Amino acid sequence: MTSTAVSSRPSGDSPEPVAPANRRSPGHLALVILSRYGTLIGLALMLIVFTLRAPTVFPTLTNFTNILAQGSLTAIIAAGLTYALVVGEFDLSIGYAASFAGLLVVGFMAIQGMPIWLAIALMLVIGAGLGAVNGILVTKVRINAVIATLGVGTILIGAAFAYSPFPIVTNIPPEFSLLSLGRVIGVPNSIPIMVIVLAILWVILNKTDLGQKMQAVGGNMEAARLSGIRVDRIKIFAFVVAGVCAALTGIMLSSLLGSGTSSAANGYLLNAFAAVFLGSATLRDGEFHIVGTLVGVLIIVVGFNGLSIFGAPSWAQQVFSGGILILAVGLSTLSRRILKAS
Amino acid sequence: MKRMLAVVAAAGLALSMSACTDPGAGSGSDDGTKTVGVVALVATDALNAAVIKGVTKVAEENGWEVHVTDTNGSVEAANAAMITYSTTQKMDAIAVMAFQTPALQAGLQSAIAADIPVVSWGGELGNGIIATTSARQVGQDSIDALLEDFGDEGAILALTYHTGVLCLYRGYAFDDTVAQHTGLDVTRNEVVIPGQVENGTAYTSAWLASHPKGSEPLAVWGSWDEPAIGAVAALQQSGRDDVWVYSINGGPQALQAVKDGTIRQVVWQDGEAEGQGMMQAAVDYLDDPASWQQKSIDIAGVVVTADNIDQFLADHPDALNP
C-alpha cells in the first residue's frame, strides 16, 4: 500500500464484545453519549450560551441565515473532502482548486466571452478533471496522496497566476452574482445549493452500492480488493467528487465577490479539514460522513460568529477553532478507547 | 486562448522548474548584465504585482534583468531568498517587499557582506537598506479621508493584519488617529492569510448582528482590499446597505466596487510608481554609492470615491485591467 490511509479511529479497533453488565452501567452510557454525541452537545451548548448572553442579537433569524450562508461554501468543499477521506486518502489541493476555479470561471465569461451556463459547466468538468488527475496520481502512479495533491495544488497556484496575476473584475455578466446572492423564499441561494449538494452526496454514500464500496475501501482496502471491488476506480471517483465540490465552491465564491482572484479560496482548506475531522467524532465511531461534516462546519461557523458578536479578540477565536477541534476529536477518541478497555 | 495556453505553459514550467534555475544570474555571470532580485511577499497579490511591474519597468529601461522569488508571506523564505541572491546568484541589487526590516537580519547581513544594495517596499530604513517606501502614508490618507466622509460619531469595524508591514503601519496610522475621536466605537478583528476574504466576510457578518440597521452610523475599514471585499460580500448576503466600506490598495476589485457603489472610498496606492522609485534608487545608488543618503520614497495615495471614479479610471486606464 503506497497511499496514506486516514482515519480518526484508533488503530486496530475491530469491534469487541462488551460485557453486558458494563453496557448497562451509567458510566458506560455516559461514555457512549460522549463519544458519539459530544460534538452535538458542544454545538448545543454553544447555541445555548450565545443565546443566553446575547438574547437579542445571536438567536435571530437574520443571524442564523447569515451563519448558514457563511458556512455553505465551507460545507460544500468539506463534503467533497469527506469523500476523499472516506476512501482513506487526503486531498490538499481543494483550496487551490477552488481559487483556480473561481478565477477561471470569471475569465471564461469576461475574457473568453462564454455564456454563464457554459462557463460554469466547463469549470465543473475541469474540476472533475483535476480530481481525476489527483486520483490517477495516487492510484496508478502510486504517489502518496499528500504529496500528489499538494503538488497539483501548487501547480494550480502557478497556473492561476499565469492566467491572470490580477483580479478579473470587468465584463462579468451581472446575472452571475445571482448564483450566490439571489434568494429563494428570502434565503440566499448558497444555502439551498449547499442542501442539495450535501443531500446528493449523502444519498450516494449511504444509499447506493457505490457508497458502500467507498466505505469498504476506506475500512479495509485489501479486504475490499479481495472481495472484487475495483479499489482504484472507487478512489478516483472520490477524488473527482472532491474536485467538483472544490470547483463549485470557487465558482460560488466568485459569484459572491463579483470577481475572480487567484487566491481567494485558499483559506477553505484548513476549515474544511477541521470540519471533516470534527464531523468524524459525531454520531459514528471515528468515521467520516456527510452529516458529521455539516455538524463540523456549523460548530466552526457558530463559534466564530458568537465570539465575534461578543467582541472576543481575534487570538481567542483562533484558540477556540483549534481547541474545539482537539477537544472534540480527543474526547471522542478517548471515550472509545475507554469503552473498548471496559 | 492565449491565456489558456499560459495556464498549460505554467503547469509545464512548474514541473520543469528545478531544471531551469540559473545559479549565476547577477553581474557575476559572463555577459555582465546587471540583475535585481525581487523578494515578493505574495506575488499573486495585485499590489505586489504592480510594484514588481514598476521595478521591472525601470530595470529594463536600464538594461537590467529581474528575478522574482515569491515567499508566500514567509519571512524565513525572504531571508533565504536574500542569502541566495547575495551568495549564490550574486545579484547587483535586491528589492524586498513588505517585510519588517528587523526580521530580515540574516538576509541583510548577507547582502551587506556581498556589498549588494537593498531597497525595501514598506520596511523600515535600517543598516543595509538604501531606500524604502512609506507604509504609513496611505494609511494616514485613508483614515483622514474616512473621518472627513464618515464623521467622528459611530461604530467602525477595523479589519487589521499586523503580520504584513504595510498593514501594520496602516494600522498604526488608523489607531493613532481614531484614538483622538472618542465618539468612535471601534471593533478590531485580525484577519489571517490565507483566508483573508473569508475572514472579512465572517467578521463583518457577526459584527452586523450586533449592529442592527439604523442603530448608529456604521463603517468597515479594511487595512487592504481583500478583507474589505469580504465585508462587501457579507453586506450583500445580509441585504444591508447602511454600512460604508473603506479600503486601501485600490486593486481592480476595490475600484470596481467603488464604481458599483458597494465600497464608499478606497485609497489607491500607486504600487507601480513605488516600484519604479525603488528600482531607480538602486540604479542611482550604484552610480555613486559613496555620496548616497538613505531615503524614504513617499508617494501619496489617491482617494477614489463615486465622485471621481470615472475621472480616475480615465487617468489610469489600466487600473481595472492591469
Side-chain angles (χ1 to χ4, degrees), chain B residues 145-215:
Chain B
L146 182 153
L147 287 171
E148 190 179 331
D149 181 56
F150 180 74
D152 56 4
E153 297 281 339
I156 299 176
L157 170 65
L159 299 171
T160 58
Y161 179 66
H162 288 90
T163 309
V165 69
L166 266 74
C167 292
L168 176 72
Y169 282 98
R170 291 170 183 180
Y172 286 158
F174 178 87
D175 287 343
D176 291 348
T177 308
V178 297
Q180 299 162 21
H181 298 270
T182 53
L184 292 172
D185 171 24
V186 180
T187 302
R188 292 172 178 81
N189 280 138
E190 181 84 354
V191 299
V192 294
I193 296 176
Q196 59 271 35
V197 177
E198 194 185 347
N199 265 202
T201 305
Y203 281 130
T204 305
S205 186
W207 183 78
L208 289 176
S210 52
H211 294 82
K213 192 169 185 174
S215 56

Side-chain angles (χ1 to χ4, degrees), chain A residues 70 163 170 183 259 261 314, chain B residues 3 190 205 209 237 253 321:
Chain A
Q70 265 176 55
Y163 183 75
T170 53
R183 287 176 180 258
S259 56
T261 312
S314 303
Chain B
R3 284 168 189 265
E190 181 84 354
S205 186
Q237 254 180 351
Q253 286 169 300
N321 296 296

